[in-house]
Amino acid sequence: MKVGYVRVSCGETQNTARQDTLMAELQVDKIYTDKMSGKDASNRPQLQSMLDFVREGDVVVSESISRIARSTRDFLSIMDKLNQKGVTYISRKESIDTSTPQGVFMMTVFAALSELERQTTRQRALEGIAEAKKRGVYKGRKPIAIDAGKFKSVYTDWKAGKITAVEAYKKLGISASSWYRRVKDYGNRGATL
């Protein structure tokens, strides 16, 4: 089945006519249309419905990549979902067809660019933190405050085998890593937090 995805931003003067005409030319069987910003893929109900609907062997068509996704990360996430379902994607404007070697190559390029963007952002953040530490203005995140009496009670129950570690950190409202860090600190200090 050939499935079309059409999107225009809410409040734009443009309408879907041009994209609808393209879908008719391509003899698309079913069309999903969102009239809203493409900024966040998870907040586009018709996109989510389309991703739920498509099955192995289907083809998803959009006028351009910018209609289906507004960021490389969103685009790759959507392509991953389609790929896992065995669905081909075609972008008319960019001439991308993921059923061809050239289309797969383009996906690889997009993935590499996205990874470069992530690593560059991470590197800048680490450099910024290092610089802030030099100036003495970066202290890191403050630890989550936990009532000492409550921690001791939960710790004692966990140590006695009355509850699991999962139950313990859920009772305290902290993550697993925070729980184990606190347990280690508690054990090293004897009976103080």
Short mmCIF file of all heavy atoms in Angstrom, two decimals, residues 89-132:
data_model
loop_
_atom_site.label_atom_id
_atom_site.label_comp_id
_atom_site.label_asym_id
_atom_site.label_seq_id
_atom_site.Cartn_x
_atom_site.Cartn_y
_atom_site.Cartn_z
N TYR A 89 10.52 4.43 2.49
CA TYR A 89 10.18 5.85 2.52
C TYR A 89 10.67 6.51 1.23
O TYR A 89 11.80 6.25 0.79
CB TYR A 89 10.83 6.55 3.72
CG TYR A 89 10.70 8.05 3.65
CD1 TYR A 89 9.46 8.67 3.85
CD2 TYR A 89 11.79 8.85 3.35
CE1 TYR A 89 9.34 10.06 3.76
CE2 TYR A 89 11.67 10.23 3.28
CZ TYR A 89 10.44 10.83 3.47
OH TYR A 89 10.32 12.19 3.39
N ILE A 90 9.82 7.35 0.66
CA ILE A 90 10.19 8.11 -0.53
C ILE A 90 9.92 9.59 -0.28
O ILE A 90 8.82 9.97 0.12
CB ILE A 90 9.40 7.65 -1.78
CG1 ILE A 90 9.75 6.20 -2.12
CG2 ILE A 90 9.66 8.57 -2.96
CD1 ILE A 90 8.93 5.61 -3.25
N SER A 91 10.95 10.41 -0.51
CA SER A 91 10.80 11.86 -0.47
C SER A 91 10.91 12.35 -1.90
O SER A 91 11.95 12.17 -2.56
CB SER A 91 11.90 12.50 0.38
OG SER A 91 11.91 13.90 0.15
N ARG A 92 9.85 12.94 -2.41
CA ARG A 92 9.82 13.36 -3.82
C ARG A 92 10.84 14.45 -4.11
O ARG A 92 11.61 14.37 -5.07
CB ARG A 92 8.40 13.82 -4.16
CG ARG A 92 8.21 14.21 -5.59
CD ARG A 92 8.38 12.98 -6.50
NE ARG A 92 8.22 13.33 -7.89
CZ ARG A 92 7.09 13.19 -8.56
NH1 ARG A 92 6.03 12.68 -7.96
NH2 ARG A 92 7.02 13.52 -9.82
N LYS A 93 10.89 15.48 -3.28
CA LYS A 93 11.76 16.63 -3.55
C LYS A 93 13.24 16.26 -3.54
O LYS A 93 13.99 16.67 -4.41
CB LYS A 93 11.50 17.73 -2.52
CG LYS A 93 12.24 19.03 -2.78
CD LYS A 93 11.82 20.07 -1.77
CE LYS A 93 12.43 21.42 -2.06
NZ LYS A 93 11.98 22.42 -1.08
N GLU A 94 13.65 15.48 -2.54
CA GLU A 94 15.07 15.11 -2.41
C GLU A 94 15.42 13.84 -3.19
O GLU A 94 16.57 13.41 -3.17
CB GLU A 94 15.44 14.92 -0.93
CG GLU A 94 15.47 16.19 -0.13
CD GLU A 94 14.10 16.57 0.44
OE1 GLU A 94 13.15 15.79 0.30
OE2 GLU A 94 14.00 17.65 1.03
N SER A 95 14.43 13.23 -3.83
CA SER A 95 14.63 11.98 -4.60
C SER A 95 15.26 10.89 -3.74
O SER A 95 16.20 10.22 -4.16
CB SER A 95 15.48 12.23 -5.85
OG SER A 95 14.83 13.14 -6.70
N ILE A 96 14.77 10.75 -2.52
CA ILE A 96 15.26 9.70 -1.63
C ILE A 96 14.27 8.55 -1.66
O ILE A 96 13.07 8.75 -1.52
CB ILE A 96 15.44 10.21 -0.20
CG1 ILE A 96 16.61 11.21 -0.14
CG2 ILE A 96 15.68 9.06 0.77
CD1 ILE A 96 16.80 11.84 1.21
N ASP A 97 14.78 7.35 -1.85
CA ASP A 97 13.97 6.13 -1.85
C ASP A 97 14.76 5.09 -1.07
O ASP A 97 15.79 4.61 -1.54
CB ASP A 97 13.72 5.67 -3.29
CG ASP A 97 12.88 4.40 -3.38
OD1 ASP A 97 12.77 3.67 -2.36
OD2 ASP A 97 12.35 4.13 -4.47
N THR A 98 14.29 4.76 0.14
CA THR A 98 15.07 3.87 1.01
C THR A 98 15.08 2.42 0.55
O THR A 98 15.72 1.59 1.18
CB THR A 98 14.57 3.94 2.47
OG1 THR A 98 13.20 3.53 2.52
CG2 THR A 98 14.73 5.33 3.04
N SER A 99 14.42 2.13 -0.58
CA SER A 99 14.49 0.76 -1.12
C SER A 99 15.68 0.64 -2.08
O SER A 99 15.97 -0.46 -2.56
CB SER A 99 13.19 0.40 -1.85
OG SER A 99 13.05 1.16 -3.04
N THR A 100 16.38 1.74 -2.34
CA THR A 100 17.52 1.72 -3.27
C THR A 100 18.83 1.88 -2.50
O THR A 100 18.84 2.42 -1.39
CB THR A 100 17.42 2.89 -4.28
OG1 THR A 100 17.58 4.13 -3.57
CG2 THR A 100 16.08 2.88 -5.02
N PRO A 101 19.94 1.42 -3.09
CA PRO A 101 21.24 1.61 -2.44
C PRO A 101 21.55 3.09 -2.20
O PRO A 101 22.13 3.46 -1.17
CB PRO A 101 22.24 1.01 -3.42
CG PRO A 101 21.45 0.05 -4.24
CD PRO A 101 20.05 0.63 -4.31
N GLN A 102 21.15 3.96 -3.13
CA GLN A 102 21.39 5.39 -2.97
C GLN A 102 20.60 5.95 -1.78
O GLN A 102 21.09 6.79 -1.03
CB GLN A 102 20.99 6.15 -4.26
CG GLN A 102 21.83 5.80 -5.46
CD GLN A 102 21.36 4.53 -6.18
OE1 GLN A 102 20.40 3.87 -5.77
NE2 GLN A 102 22.06 4.18 -7.24
N GLY A 103 19.38 5.48 -1.61
CA GLY A 103 18.55 5.91 -0.48
C GLY A 103 19.14 5.47 0.85
O GLY A 103 19.16 6.23 1.82
N VAL A 104 19.63 4.23 0.89
CA VAL A 104 20.27 3.72 2.10
C VAL A 104 21.53 4.53 2.40
O VAL A 104 21.81 4.88 3.54
CB VAL A 104 20.61 2.21 1.95
CG1 VAL A 104 21.45 1.72 3.12
CG2 VAL A 104 19.32 1.39 1.84
N PHE A 105 22.28 4.88 1.34
CA PHE A 105 23.48 5.70 1.51
C PHE A 105 23.12 7.06 2.12
O PHE A 105 23.78 7.54 3.04
CB PHE A 105 24.19 5.90 0.17
CG PHE A 105 25.31 6.91 0.23
CD1 PHE A 105 26.51 6.59 0.85
CD2 PHE A 105 25.16 8.17 -0.32
CE1 PHE A 105 27.54 7.51 0.94
CE2 PHE A 105 26.18 9.10 -0.24
CZ PHE A 105 27.37 8.78 0.38
N MET A 106 22.05 7.67 1.63
CA MET A 106 21.63 8.97 2.17
C MET A 106 21.25 8.85 3.64
O MET A 106 21.56 9.74 4.44
CB MET A 106 20.45 9.54 1.36
CG MET A 106 20.85 10.04 -0.02
SD MET A 106 22.20 11.24 0.00
CE MET A 106 21.47 12.58 0.91
N MET A 107 20.60 7.76 4.02
CA MET A 107 20.26 7.55 5.43
C MET A 107 21.53 7.45 6.28
O MET A 107 21.60 7.96 7.39
CB MET A 107 19.43 6.28 5.61
CG MET A 107 18.03 6.33 5.03
SD MET A 107 17.01 7.58 5.80
CE MET A 107 17.19 8.91 4.64
N THR A 108 22.55 6.79 5.73
CA THR A 108 23.83 6.65 6.43
C THR A 108 24.48 8.02 6.62
O THR A 108 25.01 8.33 7.69
CB THR A 108 24.78 5.72 5.64
OG1 THR A 108 24.12 4.48 5.43
CG2 THR A 108 26.07 5.48 6.38
N VAL A 109 24.40 8.86 5.59
CA VAL A 109 24.96 10.21 5.68
C VAL A 109 24.22 11.02 6.75
O VAL A 109 24.83 11.68 7.59
CB VAL A 109 24.91 10.93 4.31
CG1 VAL A 109 25.25 12.42 4.45
CG2 VAL A 109 25.85 10.26 3.32
N PHE A 110 22.87 10.94 6.73
CA PHE A 110 22.10 11.66 7.74
C PHE A 110 22.45 11.17 9.15
O PHE A 110 22.57 11.96 10.08
CB PHE A 110 20.59 11.49 7.50
CG PHE A 110 20.05 12.35 6.41
CD1 PHE A 110 19.29 11.80 5.39
CD2 PHE A 110 20.29 13.71 6.39
CE1 PHE A 110 18.78 12.60 4.38
CE2 PHE A 110 19.78 14.52 5.38
CZ PHE A 110 19.03 13.95 4.37
N ALA A 111 22.59 9.87 9.32
CA ALA A 111 22.93 9.31 10.63
C ALA A 111 24.30 9.82 11.09
O ALA A 111 24.49 10.17 12.25
CB ALA A 111 22.91 7.79 10.59
N ALA A 112 25.26 9.86 10.16
CA ALA A 112 26.61 10.34 10.50
C ALA A 112 26.57 11.82 10.89
O ALA A 112 27.22 12.23 11.87
CB ALA A 112 27.55 10.13 9.32
N LEU A 113 25.80 12.61 10.17
CA LEU A 113 25.68 14.04 10.50
C LEU A 113 25.03 14.24 11.87
O LEU A 113 25.44 15.10 12.65
CB LEU A 113 24.89 14.78 9.42
CG LEU A 113 25.60 14.94 8.08
CD1 LEU A 113 24.65 15.49 7.03
CD2 LEU A 113 26.83 15.83 8.22
N SER A 114 24.02 13.43 12.15
CA SER A 114 23.35 13.53 13.44
C SER A 114 24.29 13.17 14.58
O SER A 114 24.33 13.84 15.61
CB SER A 114 22.13 12.60 13.46
OG SER A 114 21.46 12.69 14.68
N GLU A 115 25.09 12.12 14.39
CA GLU A 115 26.05 11.71 15.41
C GLU A 115 27.11 12.79 15.61
O GLU A 115 27.49 13.10 16.74
CB GLU A 115 26.70 10.38 15.03
CG GLU A 115 27.68 9.84 16.05
CD GLU A 115 27.05 9.61 17.42
OE1 GLU A 115 25.84 9.36 17.52
OE2 GLU A 115 27.81 9.66 18.42
N LEU A 116 27.57 13.40 14.52
CA LEU A 116 28.53 14.49 14.60
C LEU A 116 27.95 15.65 15.40
O LEU A 116 28.61 16.22 16.28
CB LEU A 116 28.93 14.96 13.20
CG LEU A 116 29.86 16.18 13.15
CD1 LEU A 116 31.20 15.89 13.80
CD2 LEU A 116 30.04 16.63 11.71
N GLU A 117 26.68 15.98 15.13
CA GLU A 117 26.01 17.06 15.85
C GLU A 117 25.92 16.75 17.35
O GLU A 117 26.20 17.60 18.19
CB GLU A 117 24.60 17.25 15.27
CG GLU A 117 23.79 18.33 15.91
CD GLU A 117 22.37 18.39 15.35
OE1 GLU A 117 22.03 17.62 14.45
OE2 GLU A 117 21.59 19.21 15.86
N ARG A 118 25.55 15.51 17.69
CA ARG A 118 25.45 15.10 19.10
C ARG A 118 26.81 15.19 19.80
O ARG A 118 26.91 15.71 20.91
CB ARG A 118 24.94 13.66 19.20
CG ARG A 118 23.46 13.54 19.42
CD ARG A 118 23.05 12.15 19.86
NE ARG A 118 23.45 11.11 18.95
CZ ARG A 118 22.76 10.73 17.87
NH1 ARG A 118 21.64 11.32 17.57
NH2 ARG A 118 23.21 9.77 17.10
N GLN A 119 27.85 14.65 19.15
CA GLN A 119 29.18 14.65 19.75
C GLN A 119 29.74 16.06 19.90
O GLN A 119 30.38 16.38 20.91
CB GLN A 119 30.14 13.79 18.91
CG GLN A 119 29.82 12.32 18.91
CD GLN A 119 29.95 11.70 20.29
OE1 GLN A 119 30.77 12.11 21.11
NE2 GLN A 119 29.12 10.71 20.57
N THR A 120 29.47 16.92 18.92
CA THR A 120 29.94 18.31 18.99
C THR A 120 29.26 19.04 20.13
O THR A 120 29.91 19.77 20.89
CB THR A 120 29.68 19.03 17.65
OG1 THR A 120 30.35 18.31 16.61
CG2 THR A 120 30.19 20.46 17.67
N THR A 121 27.96 18.83 20.28
CA THR A 121 27.21 19.47 21.37
C THR A 121 27.75 18.99 22.72
O THR A 121 27.94 19.79 23.64
CB THR A 121 25.71 19.13 21.24
OG1 THR A 121 25.24 19.62 19.98
CG2 THR A 121 24.91 19.76 22.36
N ARG A 122 27.99 17.68 22.83
CA ARG A 122 28.52 17.12 24.08
C ARG A 122 29.90 17.70 24.39
O ARG A 122 30.19 18.07 25.53
CB ARG A 122 28.60 15.60 23.95
CG ARG A 122 29.03 14.91 25.22
CD ARG A 122 28.91 13.39 25.08
NE ARG A 122 29.24 12.74 26.33
CZ ARG A 122 30.46 12.38 26.68
NH1 ARG A 122 31.48 12.59 25.87
NH2 ARG A 122 30.69 11.80 27.84
N GLN A 123 30.75 17.79 23.36
CA GLN A 123 32.10 18.32 23.56
C GLN A 123 32.04 19.78 24.04
O GLN A 123 32.76 20.17 24.96
CB GLN A 123 32.90 18.23 22.26
CG GLN A 123 34.33 18.73 22.40
CD GLN A 123 35.10 18.63 21.09
OE1 GLN A 123 34.56 18.25 20.06
NE2 GLN A 123 36.37 18.97 21.13
N ARG A 124 31.17 20.57 23.43
CA ARG A 124 31.03 21.97 23.84
C ARG A 124 30.55 22.08 25.29
O ARG A 124 31.02 22.92 26.05
CB ARG A 124 30.03 22.69 22.93
CG ARG A 124 30.58 23.02 21.59
CD ARG A 124 29.58 23.85 20.80
NE ARG A 124 29.97 23.90 19.42
CZ ARG A 124 29.14 23.80 18.39
NH1 ARG A 124 27.86 23.65 18.60
NH2 ARG A 124 29.58 23.87 17.17
N ALA A 125 29.61 21.22 25.66
CA ALA A 125 29.10 21.23 27.04
C ALA A 125 30.22 20.90 28.02
O ALA A 125 30.37 21.57 29.05
CB ALA A 125 27.95 20.25 27.18
N LEU A 126 31.01 19.86 27.72
CA LEU A 126 32.12 19.48 28.61
C LEU A 126 33.17 20.58 28.71
O LEU A 126 33.71 20.85 29.78
CB LEU A 126 32.75 18.18 28.12
CG LEU A 126 31.88 16.92 28.26
CD1 LEU A 126 32.55 15.72 27.59
CD2 LEU A 126 31.57 16.62 29.71
N GLU A 127 33.45 21.24 27.58
CA GLU A 127 34.41 22.34 27.60
C GLU A 127 33.88 23.50 28.44
O GLU A 127 34.62 24.13 29.19
CB GLU A 127 34.70 22.82 26.16
CG GLU A 127 35.54 21.83 25.36
CD GLU A 127 35.59 22.17 23.87
OE1 GLU A 127 34.92 23.14 23.43
OE2 GLU A 127 36.29 21.44 23.15
N GLY A 128 32.58 23.77 28.32
CA GLY A 128 31.96 24.82 29.12
C GLY A 128 32.01 24.52 30.60
O GLY A 128 32.29 25.40 31.43
N ILE A 129 31.75 23.26 30.97
CA ILE A 129 31.80 22.84 32.37
C ILE A 129 33.23 22.97 32.91
O ILE A 129 33.45 23.48 34.02
CB ILE A 129 31.27 21.40 32.54
CG1 ILE A 129 29.75 21.39 32.32
CG2 ILE A 129 31.62 20.84 33.91
CD1 ILE A 129 29.15 19.99 32.20
N ALA A 130 34.21 22.53 32.10
CA ALA A 130 35.61 22.62 32.53
C ALA A 130 36.01 24.07 32.77
O ALA A 130 36.67 24.38 33.77
CB ALA A 130 36.53 21.98 31.48
N GLU A 131 35.58 24.95 31.88
CA GLU A 131 35.90 26.38 32.03
C GLU A 131 35.22 26.96 33.27
O GLU A 131 35.82 27.72 34.03
CB GLU A 131 35.46 27.14 30.77
CG GLU A 131 35.86 28.59 30.77
CD GLU A 131 37.36 28.83 30.87
OE1 GLU A 131 38.14 28.02 30.33
OE2 GLU A 131 37.75 29.83 31.51
N ALA A 132 33.95 26.58 33.50
CA ALA A 132 33.22 27.06 34.68
C ALA A 132 33.86 26.56 35.97
O ALA A 132 33.93 27.28 36.97
CB ALA A 132 31.75 26.62 34.60
#
